Amino acid sequence: MQKYTAEELVPHSGDMSLLDEIVLVEEDKLMAKLRVRDDGLFSRDKRVPAYVGIEYMAQAIAAFSGYHAKEKGEDVRLGFLLGTRKFLTNFENYQCGEEITVQIERLLQAENGMATFECWISGSGVEQNARLNVYQPDNVTAYLKETS
């Protein structure tokens, strides 16, 4: 059992909070589980498009970052998905109700808050993987003012 819930680690709430459980956290890895929900923003006719897997991966990265921040006594901070490379999937839609596992591994972490993660999603007949580039600025408010 993990020390923190997904809700404590990911700065999302309501319909946008998609992870159910953090199963494992290591120095450079995290594993989470979720049940594909029919009551969320992405569900249509008991299905969720495969590309939503990128959001599942991004939230696993957020949980990873949140966990390591909490372990240092810091607040959980917002981060930004900059891009996705090599997204591969073997299906078009998740079926609502199915349980999937999301695994992420940090490949690179720069001093300026940029990072790259290799990500995998698996389940019954479900296989996806992608490489996500993310950015977590030290001061989110200042960053948003700069970019607007």
Side-chain angles (χ1 to χ4, degrees):
M1 182 165 162
Q2 284 301 313
K3 198 184 245 194
Y4 308 106
T5 66
E7 292 81 18
E8 292 174 294
L9 300 178
V10 180
H12 289 58
S13 61
D15 287 347
M16 280 306 297
S17 183
L18 302 176
L19 302 179
D20 293 330
E21 176 185 9
I22 307 304
V23 178
L24 170 75
V25 183
E26 295 178 354
E27 184 177 340
D28 289 312
K29 298 178 182 180
L30 178 135
M31 180 188 301
K33 290 192 180 278
L34 66 98
R35 186 167 303 278
V36 178
R37 295 195 327 240
D38 190 26
D39 63 351
L41 298 172
F42 305 110
S43 174
R44 301 287 181 270
D45 298 321
K46 305 278 187 209
R47 295 181 183 165
V48 171
Y51 61 78
V52 176
I54 295 169
E55 179 63 23
Y56 296 148
M57 294 172 185
Q59 288 198 22
I61 293 169
F64 173 86
S65 177
Y67 177 89
H68 288 289
K70 282 191 167 287
E71 288 296 289
K72 294 181 208 171
E74 299 172 358
D75 291 332
V76 173
R77 299 189 334 244
L78 287 175
F80 300 92
L81 174 63
L82 298 180
T84 304
R85 294 186 340 190
K86 301 180 182 178
F87 177 64
L88 300 173
T89 185
N90 70 336
F91 63 100
E92 291 183 27
N93 295 288
Y94 291 99
Q95 297 300 312
C96 291
E98 73 182 309
E99 186 174 286
I100 59 172
T101 300
V102 184
Q103 298 180 74
I104 58 110
E105 180 176 4
R106 180 174 53 189
L107 302 177
L108 174 70
Q109 178 73 55
E111 293 284 325
N112 66 357
M114 304 277 265
T116 300
F117 288 82
E118 191 71 34
C119 308
W120 303 268
I121 295 178
S122 59
S124 179
V126 170
E127 290 182 33
Q128 292 182 310
N129 65 289
R131 187 166 288 180
L132 273 59
N133 296 314
V134 297
Y135 176 57
Q136 187 174 50
D138 288 330
N139 185 330
V140 173
T141 304
Y143 173 73
L144 290 174
K145 284 181 182 177
E146 288 174 14
T147 59
S148 60

mmCIF file of all heavy atoms in Angstrom, residues 42-81:
data_model
loop_
_atom_site.group_PDB
_atom_site.id
_atom_site.type_symbol
_atom_site.label_atom_id
_atom_site.label_comp_id
_atom_site.label_asym_id
_atom_site.label_seq_id
_atom_site.Cartn_x
_atom_site.Cartn_y
_atom_site.Cartn_z
ATOM 1 N N PHE A 42 -14.505 12.105 -21.083
ATOM 2 C CA PHE A 42 -14.041 11.470 -22.312
ATOM 3 C C PHE A 42 -14.923 10.327 -22.799
ATOM 4 O O PHE A 42 -14.737 9.827 -23.888
ATOM 5 C CB PHE A 42 -12.615 10.953 -22.116
ATOM 6 C CG PHE A 42 -11.665 12.021 -21.652
ATOM 7 C CD1 PHE A 42 -11.146 12.003 -20.379
ATOM 8 C CD2 PHE A 42 -11.310 13.062 -22.501
ATOM 9 C CE1 PHE A 42 -10.278 12.993 -19.949
ATOM 10 C CE2 PHE A 42 -10.446 14.059 -22.087
ATOM 11 C CZ PHE A 42 -9.928 14.022 -20.793
ATOM 12 N N SER A 43 -15.867 9.892 -21.994
ATOM 13 C CA SER A 43 -16.690 8.725 -22.310
ATOM 14 C C SER A 43 -17.793 9.053 -23.316
ATOM 15 O O SER A 43 -18.516 10.035 -23.165
ATOM 16 C CB SER A 43 -17.319 8.193 -21.021
ATOM 17 O OG SER A 43 -18.224 7.166 -21.316
ATOM 18 N N ARG A 44 -17.890 8.178 -24.322
ATOM 19 C CA ARG A 44 -18.955 8.261 -25.317
ATOM 20 C C ARG A 44 -19.405 6.836 -25.635
ATOM 21 O O ARG A 44 -18.592 6.009 -26.062
ATOM 22 C CB ARG A 44 -18.474 8.912 -26.623
ATOM 23 C CG ARG A 44 -17.934 10.318 -26.476
ATOM 24 C CD ARG A 44 -19.073 11.336 -26.225
ATOM 25 N NE ARG A 44 -18.558 12.678 -26.113
ATOM 26 C CZ ARG A 44 -18.174 13.256 -24.978
ATOM 27 N NH1 ARG A 44 -18.226 12.614 -23.843
ATOM 28 N NH2 ARG A 44 -17.739 14.505 -24.969
ATOM 29 N N ASP A 45 -20.676 6.555 -25.400
ATOM 30 C CA ASP A 45 -21.233 5.232 -25.711
ATOM 31 C C ASP A 45 -20.430 4.093 -25.074
ATOM 32 O O ASP A 45 -20.091 3.110 -25.732
ATOM 33 C CB ASP A 45 -21.303 5.032 -27.230
ATOM 34 C CG ASP A 45 -22.208 6.044 -27.902
ATOM 35 O OD1 ASP A 45 -23.262 6.373 -27.321
ATOM 36 O OD2 ASP A 45 -21.847 6.512 -28.999
ATOM 37 N N LYS A 46 -20.100 4.253 -23.800
ATOM 38 C CA LYS A 46 -19.372 3.219 -23.029
ATOM 39 C C LYS A 46 -17.952 2.998 -23.534
ATOM 40 O O LYS A 46 -17.357 1.952 -23.313
ATOM 41 C CB LYS A 46 -20.120 1.891 -23.018
ATOM 42 C CG LYS A 46 -21.536 1.970 -22.524
ATOM 43 C CD LYS A 46 -21.570 1.965 -21.032
ATOM 44 C CE LYS A 46 -23.019 1.878 -20.549
ATOM 45 N NZ LYS A 46 -23.233 2.493 -19.292
ATOM 46 N N ARG A 47 -17.414 3.985 -24.231
ATOM 47 C CA ARG A 47 -16.048 3.894 -24.752
ATOM 48 C C ARG A 47 -15.307 5.195 -24.491
ATOM 49 O O ARG A 47 -15.914 6.269 -24.433
ATOM 50 C CB ARG A 47 -16.055 3.620 -26.246
ATOM 51 C CG ARG A 47 -16.647 2.286 -26.588
ATOM 52 C CD ARG A 47 -16.607 2.067 -28.054
ATOM 53 N NE ARG A 47 -17.257 0.791 -28.328
ATOM 54 C CZ ARG A 47 -17.655 0.419 -29.500
ATOM 55 N NH1 ARG A 47 -17.475 1.196 -30.539
ATOM 56 N NH2 ARG A 47 -18.227 -0.746 -29.664
ATOM 57 N N VAL A 48 -13.996 5.073 -24.391
ATOM 58 C CA VAL A 48 -13.109 6.221 -24.246
ATOM 59 C C VAL A 48 -12.049 6.098 -25.336
ATOM 60 O O VAL A 48 -11.427 5.033 -25.472
ATOM 61 C CB VAL A 48 -12.469 6.245 -22.834
ATOM 62 C CG1 VAL A 48 -11.394 7.308 -22.744
ATOM 63 C CG2 VAL A 48 -13.543 6.457 -21.767
ATOM 64 N N PRO A 49 -11.822 7.131 -26.136
ATOM 65 C CA PRO A 49 -10.842 7.047 -27.230
ATOM 66 C C PRO A 49 -9.442 6.673 -26.741
ATOM 67 O O PRO A 49 -9.014 7.089 -25.661
ATOM 68 C CB PRO A 49 -10.838 8.461 -27.822
ATOM 69 C CG PRO A 49 -12.123 9.076 -27.382
ATOM 70 C CD PRO A 49 -12.457 8.452 -26.067
ATOM 71 N N ALA A 50 -8.749 5.916 -27.542
ATOM 72 C CA ALA A 50 -7.403 5.448 -27.188
ATOM 73 C C ALA A 50 -6.446 6.589 -26.880
ATOM 74 O O ALA A 50 -5.578 6.462 -26.016
ATOM 75 C CB ALA A 50 -6.845 4.576 -28.311
ATOM 76 N N TYR A 51 -6.615 7.735 -27.557
ATOM 77 C CA TYR A 51 -5.686 8.839 -27.328
ATOM 78 C C TYR A 51 -5.762 9.404 -25.906
ATOM 79 O O TYR A 51 -4.853 10.107 -25.466
ATOM 80 C CB TYR A 51 -5.877 9.958 -28.356
ATOM 81 C CG TYR A 51 -7.236 10.611 -28.370
ATOM 82 C CD1 TYR A 51 -7.600 11.553 -27.411
ATOM 83 C CD2 TYR A 51 -8.157 10.294 -29.359
ATOM 84 C CE1 TYR A 51 -8.844 12.146 -27.420
ATOM 85 C CE2 TYR A 51 -9.408 10.891 -29.387
ATOM 86 C CZ TYR A 51 -9.746 11.818 -28.411
ATOM 87 O OH TYR A 51 -10.982 12.403 -28.430
ATOM 88 N N VAL A 52 -6.822 9.091 -25.154
ATOM 89 C CA VAL A 52 -6.909 9.518 -23.764
ATOM 90 C C VAL A 52 -5.822 8.827 -22.932
ATOM 91 O O VAL A 52 -5.446 9.291 -21.865
ATOM 92 C CB VAL A 52 -8.327 9.281 -23.197
ATOM 93 C CG1 VAL A 52 -8.411 9.620 -21.710
ATOM 94 C CG2 VAL A 52 -9.337 10.118 -23.977
ATOM 95 N N GLY A 53 -5.259 7.762 -23.476
ATOM 96 C CA GLY A 53 -4.118 7.120 -22.814
ATOM 97 C C GLY A 53 -2.977 8.094 -22.559
ATOM 98 O O GLY A 53 -2.251 7.967 -21.567
ATOM 99 N N ILE A 54 -2.825 9.086 -23.429
ATOM 100 C CA ILE A 54 -1.781 10.096 -23.217
ATOM 101 C C ILE A 54 -2.062 10.862 -21.923
ATOM 102 O O ILE A 54 -1.148 11.162 -21.160
ATOM 103 C CB ILE A 54 -1.681 11.042 -24.435
ATOM 104 C CG1 ILE A 54 -1.205 10.248 -25.655
ATOM 105 C CG2 ILE A 54 -0.739 12.217 -24.139
ATOM 106 C CD1 ILE A 54 -1.314 10.994 -26.969
ATOM 107 N N GLU A 55 -3.317 11.169 -21.644
ATOM 108 C CA GLU A 55 -3.669 11.845 -20.389
ATOM 109 C C GLU A 55 -3.446 10.927 -19.189
ATOM 110 O O GLU A 55 -2.972 11.376 -18.141
ATOM 111 C CB GLU A 55 -5.118 12.341 -20.421
ATOM 112 C CG GLU A 55 -5.558 13.039 -19.142
ATOM 113 C CD GLU A 55 -4.793 14.318 -18.812
ATOM 114 O OE1 GLU A 55 -4.205 14.945 -19.732
ATOM 115 O OE2 GLU A 55 -4.773 14.707 -17.626
ATOM 116 N N TYR A 56 -3.758 9.632 -19.332
ATOM 117 C CA TYR A 56 -3.470 8.693 -18.242
ATOM 118 C C TYR A 56 -1.972 8.686 -17.943
ATOM 119 O O TYR A 56 -1.540 8.690 -16.788
ATOM 120 C CB TYR A 56 -3.928 7.280 -18.601
ATOM 121 C CG TYR A 56 -5.419 7.092 -18.807
ATOM 122 C CD1 TYR A 56 -5.890 6.152 -19.712
ATOM 123 C CD2 TYR A 56 -6.367 7.823 -18.107
ATOM 124 C CE1 TYR A 56 -7.244 5.941 -19.910
ATOM 125 C CE2 TYR A 56 -7.720 7.630 -18.305
ATOM 126 C CZ TYR A 56 -8.162 6.686 -19.199
ATOM 127 O OH TYR A 56 -9.508 6.483 -19.383
ATOM 128 N N MET A 57 -1.170 8.667 -18.992
ATOM 129 C CA MET A 57 0.288 8.689 -18.825
ATOM 130 C C MET A 57 0.738 9.989 -18.156
ATOM 131 O O MET A 57 1.565 9.972 -17.235
ATOM 132 C CB MET A 57 0.972 8.540 -20.185
ATOM 133 C CG MET A 57 0.757 7.209 -20.859
ATOM 134 S SD MET A 57 1.410 7.257 -22.567
ATOM 135 C CE MET A 57 0.903 5.664 -23.179
ATOM 136 N N ALA A 58 0.196 11.117 -18.622
ATOM 137 C CA ALA A 58 0.575 12.415 -18.060
ATOM 138 C C ALA A 58 0.197 12.503 -16.581
ATOM 139 O O ALA A 58 0.967 13.045 -15.765
ATOM 140 C CB ALA A 58 -0.081 13.539 -18.855
ATOM 141 N N GLN A 59 -0.952 11.951 -16.206
ATOM 142 C CA GLN A 59 -1.329 11.983 -14.795
ATOM 143 C C GLN A 59 -0.440 11.064 -13.958
ATOM 144 O O GLN A 59 -0.162 11.360 -12.792
ATOM 145 C CB GLN A 59 -2.809 11.665 -14.621
ATOM 146 C CG GLN A 59 -3.660 12.812 -15.087
ATOM 147 C CD GLN A 59 -5.082 12.780 -14.584
ATOM 148 O OE1 GLN A 59 -5.409 12.147 -13.573
ATOM 149 N NE2 GLN A 59 -5.954 13.475 -15.300
ATOM 150 N N ALA A 60 0.037 9.967 -14.531
ATOM 151 C CA ALA A 60 0.988 9.124 -13.810
ATOM 152 C C ALA A 60 2.294 9.886 -13.581
ATOM 153 O O ALA A 60 2.905 9.785 -12.512
ATOM 154 C CB ALA A 60 1.232 7.826 -14.574
ATOM 155 N N ILE A 61 2.720 10.667 -14.569
ATOM 156 C CA ILE A 61 3.915 11.504 -14.405
ATOM 157 C C ILE A 61 3.669 12.548 -13.321
ATOM 158 O O ILE A 61 4.541 12.798 -12.475
ATOM 159 C CB ILE A 61 4.313 12.154 -15.742
ATOM 160 C CG1 ILE A 61 4.790 11.078 -16.719
ATOM 161 C CG2 ILE A 61 5.390 13.217 -15.531
ATOM 162 C CD1 ILE A 61 4.958 11.559 -18.153
ATOM 163 N N ALA A 62 2.493 13.149 -13.309
ATOM 164 C CA ALA A 62 2.151 14.121 -12.266
ATOM 165 C C ALA A 62 2.183 13.470 -10.888
ATOM 166 O O ALA A 62 2.678 14.069 -9.919
ATOM 167 C CB ALA A 62 0.777 14.732 -12.541
ATOM 168 N N ALA A 63 1.680 12.249 -10.782
ATOM 169 C CA ALA A 63 1.710 11.532 -9.502
ATOM 170 C C ALA A 63 3.150 11.260 -9.072
ATOM 171 O O ALA A 63 3.494 11.394 -7.886
ATOM 172 C CB ALA A 63 0.926 10.225 -9.606
ATOM 173 N N PHE A 64 3.988 10.898 -10.024
ATOM 174 C CA PHE A 64 5.415 10.671 -9.752
ATOM 175 C C PHE A 64 6.053 11.946 -9.192
ATOM 176 O O PHE A 64 6.728 11.932 -8.165
ATOM 177 C CB PHE A 64 6.101 10.239 -11.052
ATOM 178 C CG PHE A 64 7.586 10.125 -10.981
ATOM 179 C CD1 PHE A 64 8.185 8.965 -10.540
ATOM 180 C CD2 PHE A 64 8.396 11.186 -11.373
ATOM 181 C CE1 PHE A 64 9.563 8.854 -10.475
ATOM 182 C CE2 PHE A 64 9.767 11.087 -11.323
ATOM 183 C CZ PHE A 64 10.361 9.918 -10.868
ATOM 184 N N SER A 65 5.808 13.058 -9.860
ATOM 185 C CA SER A 65 6.352 14.338 -9.420
ATOM 186 C C SER A 65 5.793 14.728 -8.056
ATOM 187 O O SER A 65 6.535 15.191 -7.175
ATOM 188 C CB SER A 65 6.022 15.417 -10.448
ATOM 189 O OG SER A 65 6.477 16.665 -10.017
ATOM 190 N N GLY A 66 4.490 14.554 -7.870
ATOM 191 C CA GLY A 66 3.853 14.876 -6.595
ATOM 192 C C GLY A 66 4.407 14.049 -5.454
ATOM 193 O O GLY A 66 4.634 14.557 -4.349
ATOM 194 N N TYR A 67 4.632 12.776 -5.706
ATOM 195 C CA TYR A 67 5.189 11.894 -4.678
ATOM 196 C C TYR A 67 6.572 12.387 -4.236
ATOM 197 O O TYR A 67 6.841 12.522 -3.041
ATOM 198 C CB TYR A 67 5.290 10.462 -5.211
ATOM 199 C CG TYR A 67 5.921 9.512 -4.230
ATOM 200 C CD1 TYR A 67 5.129 8.841 -3.291
ATOM 201 C CD2 TYR A 67 7.279 9.278 -4.210
ATOM 202 C CE1 TYR A 67 5.692 7.981 -2.373
ATOM 203 C CE2 TYR A 67 7.859 8.416 -3.287
ATOM 204 C CZ TYR A 67 7.065 7.765 -2.377
ATOM 205 O OH TYR A 67 7.635 6.917 -1.458
ATOM 206 N N HIS A 68 7.419 12.651 -5.205
ATOM 207 C CA HIS A 68 8.780 13.075 -4.864
ATOM 208 C C HIS A 68 8.793 14.459 -4.198
ATOM 209 O O HIS A 68 9.612 14.709 -3.319
ATOM 210 C CB HIS A 68 9.689 12.994 -6.086
ATOM 211 C CG HIS A 68 9.995 11.575 -6.457
ATOM 212 N ND1 HIS A 68 10.818 10.770 -5.703
ATOM 213 C CD2 HIS A 68 9.553 10.805 -7.477
ATOM 214 C CE1 HIS A 68 10.889 9.571 -6.243
ATOM 215 N NE2 HIS A 68 10.118 9.562 -7.329
ATOM 216 N N ALA A 69 7.869 15.336 -4.582
ATOM 217 C CA ALA A 69 7.756 16.638 -3.904
ATOM 218 C C ALA A 69 7.348 16.443 -2.447
ATOM 219 O O ALA A 69 7.968 17.010 -1.538
ATOM 220 C CB ALA A 69 6.738 17.517 -4.631
ATOM 221 N N LYS A 70 6.326 15.630 -2.201
ATOM 222 C CA LYS A 70 5.861 15.387 -0.831
ATOM 223 C C LYS A 70 6.956 14.750 0.028
ATOM 224 O O LYS A 70 7.085 15.077 1.196
ATOM 225 C CB LYS A 70 4.607 14.516 -0.827
ATOM 226 C CG LYS A 70 3.357 15.287 -1.182
ATOM 227 C CD LYS A 70 2.138 14.435 -0.904
ATOM 228 C CE LYS A 70 0.884 15.234 -0.934
ATOM 229 N NZ LYS A 70 0.695 16.106 0.200
ATOM 230 N N GLU A 71 7.724 13.867 -0.561
ATOM 231 C CA GLU A 71 8.809 13.225 0.186
ATOM 232 C C GLU A 71 9.882 14.230 0.611
ATOM 233 O O GLU A 71 10.584 14.014 1.583
ATOM 234 C CB GLU A 71 9.439 12.102 -0.643
ATOM 235 C CG GLU A 71 8.554 10.885 -0.766
ATOM 236 C CD GLU A 71 8.301 10.205 0.571
ATOM 237 O OE1 GLU A 71 9.240 9.594 1.122
ATOM 238 O OE2 GLU A 71 7.164 10.305 1.083
ATOM 239 N N LYS A 72 9.998 15.336 -0.122
ATOM 240 C CA LYS A 72 10.950 16.400 0.236
ATOM 241 C C LYS A 72 10.302 17.477 1.099
ATOM 242 O O LYS A 72 10.929 18.485 1.396
ATOM 243 C CB LYS A 72 11.494 17.069 -1.036
ATOM 244 C CG LYS A 72 12.338 16.193 -1.906
ATOM 245 C CD LYS A 72 12.812 17.022 -3.099
ATOM 246 C CE LYS A 72 13.049 16.176 -4.304
ATOM 247 N NZ LYS A 72 13.290 16.964 -5.504
ATOM 248 N N GLY A 73 9.023 17.290 1.449
ATOM 249 C CA GLY A 73 8.316 18.283 2.243
ATOM 250 C C GLY A 73 7.840 19.477 1.443
ATOM 251 O O GLY A 73 7.502 20.521 1.996
ATOM 252 N N GLU A 74 7.767 19.325 0.116
ATOM 253 C CA GLU A 74 7.329 20.406 -0.773
ATOM 254 C C GLU A 74 5.876 20.209 -1.182
ATOM 255 O O GLU A 74 5.319 19.120 -1.042
ATOM 256 C CB GLU A 74 8.208 20.440 -2.025
ATOM 257 C CG GLU A 74 9.675 20.688 -1.733
ATOM 258 C CD GLU A 74 10.563 20.537 -2.957
ATOM 259 O OE1 GLU A 74 10.045 20.193 -4.047
ATOM 260 O OE2 GLU A 74 11.779 20.733 -2.819
ATOM 261 N N ASP A 75 5.287 21.264 -1.713
ATOM 262 C CA ASP A 75 3.919 21.191 -2.222
ATOM 263 C C ASP A 75 3.892 20.517 -3.592
ATOM 264 O O ASP A 75 4.861 20.605 -4.348
ATOM 265 C CB ASP A 75 3.320 22.591 -2.374
ATOM 266 C CG ASP A 75 3.076 23.262 -1.037
ATOM 267 O OD1 ASP A 75 2.858 22.546 -0.032
ATOM 268 O OD2 ASP A 75 3.094 24.508 -0.997
ATOM 269 N N VAL A 76 2.782 19.885 -3.909
ATOM 270 C CA VAL A 76 2.547 19.342 -5.241
ATOM 271 C C VAL A 76 2.341 20.535 -6.172
ATOM 272 O O VAL A 76 1.590 21.459 -5.852
ATOM 273 C CB VAL A 76 1.310 18.426 -5.243
ATOM 274 C CG1 VAL A 76 0.944 17.991 -6.646
ATOM 275 C CG2 VAL A 76 1.553 17.218 -4.344
ATOM 276 N N ARG A 77 3.031 20.525 -7.315
ATOM 277 C CA ARG A 77 2.955 21.646 -8.251
ATOM 278 C C ARG A 77 2.405 21.202 -9.599
ATOM 279 O O ARG A 77 2.520 20.046 -9.977
ATOM 280 C CB ARG A 77 4.350 22.243 -8.475
ATOM 281 C CG ARG A 77 4.979 22.791 -7.236
ATOM 282 C CD ARG A 77 6.264 23.564 -7.515
ATOM 283 N NE ARG A 77 6.980 23.194 -8.704
ATOM 284 C CZ ARG A 77 8.204 22.659 -8.713
ATOM 285 N NH1 ARG A 77 8.835 22.431 -7.603
ATOM 286 N NH2 ARG A 77 8.799 22.372 -9.860
ATOM 287 N N LEU A 78 1.868 22.171 -10.320
ATOM 288 C CA LEU A 78 1.406 21.911 -11.680
ATOM 289 C C LEU A 78 2.592 21.681 -12.615
ATOM 290 O O LEU A 78 3.667 22.240 -12.406
ATOM 291 C CB LEU A 78 0.609 23.104 -12.218
ATOM 292 C CG LEU A 78 -0.772 23.328 -11.665
ATOM 293 C CD1 LEU A 78 -1.350 24.613 -12.234
ATOM 294 C CD2 LEU A 78 -1.678 22.159 -11.978
ATOM 295 N N GLY A 79 2.340 20.895 -13.628
ATOM 296 C CA GLY A 79 3.313 20.689 -14.682
ATOM 297 C C GLY A 79 2.589 20.762 -16.017
ATOM 298 O O GLY A 79 1.353 20.844 -16.068
ATOM 299 N N PHE A 80 3.349 20.729 -17.091
ATOM 300 C CA PHE A 80 2.774 20.886 -18.423
ATOM 301 C C PHE A 80 3.288 19.799 -19.356
ATOM 302 O O PHE A 80 4.486 19.536 -19.396
ATOM 303 C CB PHE A 80 3.145 22.265 -18.995
ATOM 304 C CG PHE A 80 2.634 23.388 -18.150
ATOM 305 C CD1 PHE A 80 3.424 23.926 -17.147
ATOM 306 C CD2 PHE A 80 1.354 23.884 -18.325
ATOM 307 C CE1 PHE A 80 2.954 24.951 -16.343
ATOM 308 C CE2 PHE A 80 0.876 24.902 -17.524
ATOM 309 C CZ PHE A 80 1.682 25.442 -16.533
ATOM 310 N N LEU A 81 2.366 19.202 -20.094
ATOM 311 C CA LEU A 81 2.722 18.253 -21.137
ATOM 312 C C LEU A 81 3.147 19.054 -22.358
ATOM 313 O O LEU A 81 2.364 19.833 -22.897
ATOM 314 C CB LEU A 81 1.533 17.350 -21.476
ATOM 315 C CG LEU A 81 1.710 16.404 -22.659
ATOM 316 C CD1 LEU A 81 2.827 15.404 -22.392
ATOM 317 C CD2 LEU A 81 0.398 15.677 -22.940
#
